[in-house]
DNA sequence: GCGACAG
DNA sequence: ATCTTGTCGC
């Protein structure tokens, strides 16, 4: 047989479960892209399948940025055990360069700077990034085909194994329940959460304007979405991570499960990762890291 | 046909 | 996402 298992007898490794066949191909047709997203959604699991506890990954004070990014303090390789190291949370974000579009919408040219920041026990343990040429423009609903490759490249550059991925954009809050957080989470078979700054689709249970910090309301599937589980219409949450006392109002975040996390746990985990700013710390750091690479300071 | 639309 | 000055408020 030509298909002997090369990993027979090998110890369990999460990457063994990776699904390379789900890698987004920017040259695919729109129909093929949508078909792949339906396959991804069918494999995705929007329920808790992890050992993550909000209090175990909580960050009480924000990382100091402004004066340069905090330095990574990775401890040497420790298989398991020295004390008890907490879960590794990885935040990912992108910045862009070049592109020929006039007003900022692009034709697909230019390059993506994707940055990944790994955090454990309240400290940054590793930074990684990848610079990738872009081939297609941004199309609502097909974001993963533009930025999925760059994100996977950044994750490949990371030496540690993530226990949770926090991605910019949607997870289950997506027309085919396969936003970029779901796509990446399924490929790596790692728990993932999507954090978006605006709503792609779906309806909030309550109006979202002017809510106090800590407030949240479910986002339910609307008719533009194909819901796999008809009995579970909650696809995510609007979550007010920060609010000013009096001044102008801040919009909430839209949190949705990517893979192996339930909607409510996803918000609880993101809430624990927020430390005073609108964006969760892993995302803030990844954002700053991508900018640093883009502007040459790295 | 019209409107909506993550980054 | 990116392009950019000023402006309001603690």
């Amino acid at each position: 047989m030509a298909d002997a298992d090369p990993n027979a007898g090998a110890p369990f490794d999460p990457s063994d479960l990776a699904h390379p066949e789900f890698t987004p191909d920017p040259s695919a047709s729109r129909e093929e892209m949508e078909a792949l997203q339906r396959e991804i959604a069918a494999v995705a699991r929007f329920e808790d399948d992890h050992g993550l506890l909000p209090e175990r990954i909580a960050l009480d004070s924000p990382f100091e940025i402004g004066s340069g990014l905090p330095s990574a303090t990775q401890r040497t390789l420790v298989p398991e055990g020295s004390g008890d190291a907490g879960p590794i949370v990885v935040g990912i974000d992108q910045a862009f360069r070049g592109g020929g579009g006039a007003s900022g919408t692009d034709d697909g040219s230019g390059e993506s700077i994707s940055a990944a920041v790994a955090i454990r026990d309240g400290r940054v343990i590793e930074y990684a990034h990848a610079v990738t040429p872009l081939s297609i423009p941004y199309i609502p609903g097909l974001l993963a085909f533009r930025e999925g490759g760059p994100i996977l490249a950044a994750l490949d550059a990371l030496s540690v194994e993530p226990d949770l991925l926090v991605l910019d954009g949607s997870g289950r809050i997506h027309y085919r329940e396969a936003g970029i957080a779901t796509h990446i989470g399924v490929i790596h078979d790692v728990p993932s959460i999507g954090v978006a700054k605006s709503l792609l689709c779906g309806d909030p249970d309550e109006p979202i304007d002017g809510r106090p910090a800590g407030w949240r309301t479910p986002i339910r599937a609307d008719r533009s979405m194909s819901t796999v589980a008809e009995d579970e219409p909650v696809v995510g949450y609007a979550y007010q991570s920060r609010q000013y006392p009096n001044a102008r109002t801040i919009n909430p975040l839209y949190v949705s499960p990517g893979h192996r996390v339930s909607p409510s746990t996803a918000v609880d985990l993101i809430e624990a990762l927020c430390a005073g700013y609108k964006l969760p710390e892993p995302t803030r750091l990844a954002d700053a890291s991508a900018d640093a690479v883009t502007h040459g300071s790295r």
Side-chain angles (χ1 to χ4, degrees):
Chain A
M1 306 298 253
D3 55 335
D5 183 354
N7 293 316
F12 176 77
D13 177 350
S15 63
D16 288 345
L17 301 178
H19 299 273
E21 68 274 23
F22 288 157
T23 298
D25 174 8
S27 69
S29 66
R30 185 183 189 110
E31 292 66 36
E32 292 172 324
M33 292 179 177
E34 296 185 349
L36 178 57
Q37 292 183 325
R38 295 181 204 288
E39 285 184 56
I40 302 248
V43 173
R45 302 202 22 261
F46 307 116
E47 17 180 288
D48 292 311
D49 177 18
H50 55 78
L52 302 164
L53 295 175
E55 53 268 37
R56 197 85 171 80
I57 63 172
L59 299 169
D60 27 82
S61 57
F63 284 96
E64 184 55 55
I65 293 186
S67 57
L69 292 165
S71 51
T73 61
Q74 166 136 45
R75 281 175 285 183
T76 45
L77 30 122
V78 175
E80 209 163 314
S82 101
D84 39 12
I88 295 177
V89 177
V90 172
I92 302 171
D93 191 35
Q94 289 78 235
F96 304 88
R97 246 185 212 157
S103 60
T105 52
D106 38 20
D107 58 352
S109 61
E111 54 189 16
S112 164
I113 293 77
S114 187
V117 179
I119 299 170
R120 183 176 59 194
D121 296 328
R123 312 214 60 176
V124 173
I125 59 171
E126 186 177 7
Y127 289 98
H129 71 268
V131 178
T132 312
L134 291 166
S135 43
I136 66 171
Y138 162 68
I139 299 169
L142 299 178
L143 180 64
F145 290 84
R146 172 177 168 80
E147 300 178 4
I151 288 173
L152 292 174
L155 285 174
D156 278 351
L158 207 57
S159 71
V160 298
E161 209 61 54
D163 292 305
L164 174 67
L165 298 177
V166 178
L167 293 136
D168 251 43
S170 294
R172 196 180 185 181
I173 296 180
H174 182 273
Y175 308 123
R176 292 165 291 282
E177 302 186 290
I180 195 159
T182 299
H183 206 132
I184 301 299
V186 165
I187 287 177
H188 279 272
D189 193 29
V190 166
S192 65
I193 299 174
V195 177
K197 292 179 286 298
S198 59
L199 194 57
L200 174 62
C201 53
D203 301 310
D205 270 9
E206 308 170 48
I208 55 88
D209 308 289
R211 300 297 187 171
W215 175 89
R216 65 187 67 181
T217 197
I219 300 296
R220 291 175 193 282
D222 62 26
R223 284 186 294 193
S224 74
M225 306 184 221
S226 57
T227 307
V228 170
E230 292 285 318
D231 57 313
E232 182 43 79
V234 175
V235 293
Y237 278 84
Y239 169 62
Q240 194 74 46
S241 56
R242 178 185 188 181
Q243 193 54 278
Y244 295 129
N246 308 305
R248 54 185 175 295
T249 173
I250 295 177
N251 293 128
L253 294 176
Y254 295 96
V255 180
S256 59
H259 181 46
R260 293 174 53 179
V261 183
S262 68
S264 65
T265 298
V267 203
D268 291 339
L269 293 171
I270 292 304
E271 175 175 52
L273 293 171
C274 285
Y277 289 88
K278 171 173 181 171
L279 297 175
E281 293 300 303
T283 303
R284 276 185 72 227
L285 289 172
D287 184 74
S289 178
D291 279 349
V293 173
T294 302
H295 299 140
S297 54
R298 286 195 67 196

